[in-house]
Amino acid sequence: MSPNLDFDTESVINKIKHYLITTMGRTSQNATDEEFYLAFSWALREEVMINWTATNNTFKEKKVRKLYYLSMEYMPGRLLGNNLTNISVIDLVRSVLTAMDRDFSKIMSLEPEIGIGNGGLGRLASCFLDSLATLQYPALGYGMRYQYGIFEQAVKKGVQIEKPECWLLRENPWEFRRDNHAVQVDYRGTLNPIHNDAGEEVYALDDPESVRALPYDLPIIGYNPTPNFSVLSLRVWSTKESPHNFQLQRYNAGHLDQAAENTGLTDVLYPNDNHEAGKRIRLKQEFLLVSASLQDIINQHLGVFENMTQFVDKVRIQINDTHPALVIPELMRLLLKDHHFKWHDALGTVQAVCSYTNHTILKEALEEWNEERMQELLPRQYQIVCKLNKQFCTDAVEKHPHKQANLEELSIISHGQVKMANLAIFGSHKVNGVAKLHSEILKNDLFKPFYEIYPEKFTNVTNGVTQRRWLYYSNPLLAEFITKRIGNEWIKDFSKIKDLSKFAEDTNSQEEFLSIKDQNKKNFIQYLEDTNSVDLCGQETSVCLSSDALFDVHIKRFHEYKRQLMNALHALILYQEIKENPSARPIKRVVFFGGKAAPGYKIAKDVIRFIFCLSRKILKDPIVKDHLRVIFIPNYNVSKAEKIIPAADLSEQISTAGMEASGTGNMKLSINGALTIGTDDGANVEMREHVTDKYWPFKFGSSASENAQMKHDHSYNPKTIYESNKHIAKALDALVDGSLTENDEEAKALEEIHQSLLSNGHDRYFVLNDLPDYYETHKKVEQLYATPNEWAKFALMNISSLGDFSADISVQNYATNIWDIEPCPPSTEELSRIRKEYADLDRCRILPH
């Protein structure tokens, strides 16, 4: 960053020493690595604060239209390494740590993984914030500060055990407590009718159950090779740090669980809702995110503008999946009661500022809330939903009389349930899917009646990933390989990656690519050994096969439609083939699984147990274990993804066609040089179209339309496949013949999997239907893998074809087609003013400008 690295190094060292002495009473010689990590982070943080302040001041000064992104989860991973990468000071930091006799990798590993997310939804949200900051759009993210995350996954003899994530065990130098922005969120209470200044009937809430929501800010640093980078905020809400939320009278009365309920609203992401308490807490969580964020949004707006007149023009709110859909009635309530809007004007404002992203096709995953529960916990918001529903149904029938027959499907409230997706569609000006196939299914199937009424609302924005985190930072060897050939513009403009195709036929480039992949695989093997991540079931054997084996990677949250079961069944078939004939499969293979099952999702947990049983069977076989391994990576998260993705040869994207909205793991793996075995589902379709069929050789399975037809006709019979395919029959028989199990619990779990596949009406995800084609396609995988240079050519063509799958492109599409916002970099005058003020008051400057 600076032309004078020696001066910079000395300045950073001085600042670290300053923090060690002034905050911990330690010197650099006797400080622990943990203390050193904190001091180093604080030193770097000073530079970040300059740009963070300038970014926010510029937004206010220019009175820009601003995006507010609401998501129940984020998965930013560790912040330090990404921050260093985005402000281009990795070399400086290495120099500092070397001079201070500290190990770079060890210091970086001390940062805990931020525990506020679970899967693709959270990782996508984090990618979008990174892109928003890099492209310098005015934006702010809102989420929740979950004390114990979703859970830390341990797997003991195949049984998933949920433990608290301990990411807040130590001080987090990258979060800022903002007590002056705390707000009050009200539940329950008695409604008292009054009128606002516009004459609208509104309601005061008497004797509410009030909860204090306290925000913490995390800096999101945009990539910029110059000092003028933008820093956005991710504001996360907590109820844990407010004693007011603890109900002492209930505690003294012996109701300990009730006493701590509001204190614990931000304890756990997605609490198990298989019981009434879990359902109640989930609804209260979602409303907490919505109400606290909306109050903050309005407060920010009024800090810039005199009144709410320009709110409709200056605010844009993105509802990320249905979890924040209560934005619609709560914003209505705030506009009506606190800001004296008329009903018509309030609704027009809500629909103008809000937009909704749908992330699921599965109807059971579209949130619905029991009417009585909502009425009890959120009486005024429930009233507003009822009025919105009546207005919507009346308008729909008046304008489209033929919709009378679809009224139940269209209604926001039906059969005692409040349908959050329907609410979000009605209350938003735009509704988008996250892949072309997904968006077409929304329009033509899932939300067809809405699309026929509001065709202008529906659009598509295909997901993307940030190449800076998932290639430039996570895979430095491959990043250097690319930059050496096409320059470094791809880091910020991923469309430039297309130039890599010129080297796909080059033998030297193929050899170097294969060497990099091999080194990444060796690094991952070493990581597994160092962290003792693999359960060897008491066997004296290597942790993994050598790096010349095919690394076959399936890393996703566990769900039936993602079909980890089909992959495991294929691995079982391979085991049986190799057991019978050790030379049947000349290509050695390691099948990696990683992902969590929801605490209440029994069949998903049974699949994890099946994977363990199969892994144990292989490890105990002296012949097969040298040809095949099945490895489950426990507690899969961002940091582990950064290890395994660069090492992957084969990417498993095998969801039931028509059920995956998009996927982003498919993109991460592909841009790191893994070839995809996959169905034509989600974003796989567009990726294949960009790569072309020639270089996307492992497509298999029924299409979305074929699956829909089978479902409609009830024509699928898994028993027919079982009876006609000897490989599948033998594998399924092994689930119930005792050959894989060692106790009754294991036998019961595998028996239930067997029943789920063969019982009439089960196998809703067409596992056996696609398994024969999947089996044959894996043979094609092995054939291509046996010719390494040809494999490398295909991999390079895949990487070079995915420039459109950057989160930067996705964000630009949202900004242009949905939010209508413009970039707003921190003004040079404001940066200069703040830097000068800081420099005048500080003698320990890190980075001169």
Side-chain angles (χ1 to χ4, degrees), residues 248-265:
L248 189 59
Q249 282 188 302
R250 292 189 178 184
Y251 180 86
N252 289 334
H255 303 301
L256 275 63
D257 54 340
Q258 297 175 18
E261 180 170 298
N262 289 335
T263 303
L265 288 181

Side-chain angles (χ1 to χ4, degrees), residues 179-206:
D179 287 77
N180 56 322
H181 293 290
V183 296
Q184 178 176 302
V185 177
D186 292 333
Y187 302 94
R188 295 190 167 94
T190 302
L191 294 176
N192 180 23
I194 56 176
H195 287 82
N196 69 12
D197 292 350
E200 290 281 351
E201 185 175 68
V202 296
Y203 290 81
L205 192 64
D206 295 338

Side-chain angles (χ1 to χ4, degrees), residues 453-473:
I453 297 173
Y454 304 120
E456 74 285 353
K457 285 193 179 190
F458 286 79
T459 188
N460 174 67
V461 182
T462 298
N463 283 344
V465 300
T466 169
Q467 69 273 17
R468 290 168 291 278
R469 181 62 175 262
W470 292 107
L471 179 50
Y472 182 53
Y473 172 69

